[in-house]
Amino acid sequence: MSNDSEYLWYIPNDTKAGHRGDTVDENHNSLATLTAQARALEDNGWKGALIGTGWGRPDTFTVATALAASTTTFEPLIAIRPGYWRPANFASAAATLDHLTGGRVRVNIVSGLDNLSAYGDQEGDQAHRYGRTREFMRLVRRLWTEENVSHDGEHFGVTGSTVMPRIQARGDRRHPKLYFGGASEAAERVAATEADVQLFWGEPLDGIRERIARLKALSQELDRDLPPLEFGLRITTLVRETTEQAWVDAEKKVAEMAKGKGSGWNDHRRSVAVGQQRLLDLHRSGDVLDDNLYTAPGRYGGGGAGTTWLVGSADDVARSLRRYQELGITHFVLSDTPYLTEISRQGNQLLPLLRNQLPR
């Protein structure tokens, strides 16, 4: 697998203990616990971690700032929502954190439905929501790369806006990468024109191949004026010493999910987006797709990246991830629970295989 690929983890950002089946610990959301995970990521070869967002969770940007201040190489992939943030406010905050950390900020733009009225936001239908997201992303990028920016759009406006401190160019990196997800037609049009990285959840290889081809064609059709769109995969990876032990543990986890009807796992069930529904429907084609893509979790409450799992030994999972890489995936956001234990296990067993181009 190409050394150009990047490997991030996932740090839970939730007020409830036992997130996605993790060990129930009353201190799970403390600065000490979260910092221990971020430092473990540094120590075990990971580039950084996605930190999720949603009203009712701890504020994602605050968590990311605290973890960045407690580490030296850890790169937070900070999930944020247009509407919760206004473009100039966010551009300034992110530029400041990027300056303070020496260029370690990454951003995941989230457009899915949330409890908008709770934080004073409102939006219309899907077209309105994604139109606003597109304008947000375009304006934030301009604020990072231009000075004295004026914009009078349908959703946002600024006059003579210069964000300080200025984002420092670092090689080919002109600003923090903007990651984006979504499988609806409206979401794909935003990704094709405005995103730096399109994140997919764990679909079978054929589905990812089809979506990459469609997004590339759409980028040309819509006259994308940015560097070529990159692609990423956010998925659960259950790795054990042997293939047999991995499947025993995976089936045991799913059995526990079935008992509790997915309690603690279904954090994407408030509304079922197009991409989420695609994952939930996969188990109808079989509990195991491709070589080791386990779809049964979606039947019992798994949501988002917890809906499908790659299961097996480190060799098995590395082989599967290599096949996604051959399709054009270069950004990987992996995880399993218990989070801290798996940071070390997969950092020591899986990452070395991914970084060495071993024969298939």
Side-chain angles (χ1 to χ4, degrees):
M1 184 173 286
S2 170
N3 288 330
D4 291 337
S5 295
E6 297 183 332
Y7 308 100
L8 287 82
W9 193 251
Y10 170 78
I11 287 183
N13 180 33
D14 203 296
T15 56
K16 302 180 295 296
H19 182 59
R20 287 192 179 158
D22 196 20
T23 305
V24 176
D25 180 354
E26 64 180 9
N27 296 318
H28 77 285
N29 196 40
S30 69
L31 181 58
T33 298
L34 297 175
T35 299
Q37 294 189 26
R39 288 176 174 167
L41 288 164
E42 287 188 325
D43 293 341
N44 288 279
W46 301 91
K47 189 77 169 177
L50 170 65
I51 306 174
T53 188
W55 185 253
R57 288 171 141 181
D59 178 72
T60 309
F61 202 93
T62 304
V63 172
T65 300
L67 298 184
S70 300
T71 53
T72 56
T73 63
F74 170 79
E75 298 189 11
L77 175 51
I78 308 168
I80 66 107
R81 292 177 180 272
Y84 184 95
W85 288 90
R86 295 189 64 79
N89 301 119
F90 175 71
S92 176
T96 300
L97 184 57
D98 199 64
H99 168 73
L100 293 173
T101 61
R104 287 192 273 146
V105 170
R106 299 165 185 244
V107 178
N108 181 30
I109 306 291
V110 180
S111 289
L113 296 175
D114 194 19
N115 189 3
L116 305 181
S117 60
Y119 52 86
D121 191 20
Q122 59 183 348
E123 61 188 8
D125 58 14
Q126 184 190 64
H128 180 278
R129 184 167 76 250
Y130 282 105
R132 182 173 76 165
T133 296
R134 174 183 292 168
E135 189 175 326
F136 182 94
M137 294 170 76
R138 175 64 53 150
L139 183 52
V140 164
R141 188 182 278 106
R142 286 190 63 199
L143 289 163
W144 281 340
T145 58
E146 302 175 23
E147 298 183 14
N148 197 34
V149 174
S150 293
H151 172 80
D152 182 15
E154 180 181 354
H155 307 281
F156 303 109
V158 295
T159 301
S161 183
T162 300
V163 165
M164 298 295 291
R166 303 303 297 156
I167 294 283
Q168 180 180 339
R170 300 173 187 276
D172 293 336
R173 180 190 186 270
R174 296 181 62 212
H175 56 75
K177 284 187 182 293
L178 296 178
Y179 292 65
F180 183 72
S184 68
E185 180 180 354
E188 289 190 339
R189 293 179 75 86
V190 173
T193 54
E194 302 302 333
D196 295 311
V197 181
Q198 165 74 34
L199 274 180
F200 303 118
W201 279 329
E203 295 187 37
L205 293 163
D206 284 347
I208 298 293
R209 182 184 294 108
E210 174 189 334
R211 293 187 64 193
I212 288 176
R214 185 165 63 249
L215 284 163
K216 286 182 175 180
L218 196 57
S219 293
Q220 291 186 330
E221 177 187 329
L222 298 176
D223 295 324
R224 178 183 174 92
D225 59 358
L226 300 171
L229 181 62
E230 300 172 34
F231 303 101
L233 182 71
R234 168 73 186 104
I235 193 169
T236 295
T237 44
L238 193 151
V239 174
R240 296 294 185 269
E241 294 291 339
T242 67
T243 303
E244 294 74 19
Q245 187 59 54
W247 282 106
V248 167
D249 287 0
E251 290 170 357
K252 187 182 300 183
K253 278 192 173 189
V254 168
E256 288 300 313
M257 291 171 64
K259 288 180 185 178
K261 298 181 179 179
S263 177
W265 289 74
N266 52 2
D267 58 348
H268 287 72
R269 290 295 188 86
R270 178 178 294 145
S271 62
V272 181
V274 172
Q276 177 65 83
Q277 192 62 57
R278 286 170 66 101
L279 292 192
L280 293 172
D281 290 343
L282 286 175
H283 68 79
R284 297 175 183 170
S285 300
D287 279 354
V288 182
L289 303 179
D290 294 338
D291 289 336
N292 57 340
L293 184 67
Y294 194 31
T295 67
R299 184 184 302 159
Y300 299 110
T307 313
T308 57
W309 309 346
L310 285 175
V311 177
S313 67
D315 283 334
D316 296 333
V317 174
R319 187 178 304 113
S320 294
L321 292 173
R322 195 172 297 116
R323 288 172 180 160
Y324 284 103
Q325 195 269 346
E326 289 168 354
L327 298 181
I329 303 291
T330 55
H331 300 260
F332 293 86
V333 184
L334 313 178
S335 70
D336 191 24
T337 58
Y339 291 109
L340 188 58
T341 300
E342 293 306 315
I343 287 170
S344 175
R345 185 207 302 269
Q346 297 193 32
N348 291 322
Q349 296 182 14
L350 181 61
L351 285 187
L353 298 179
L354 298 176
R355 292 203 170 101
N356 295 319
Q357 293 186 317
L358 300 181
R360 293 182 56 184

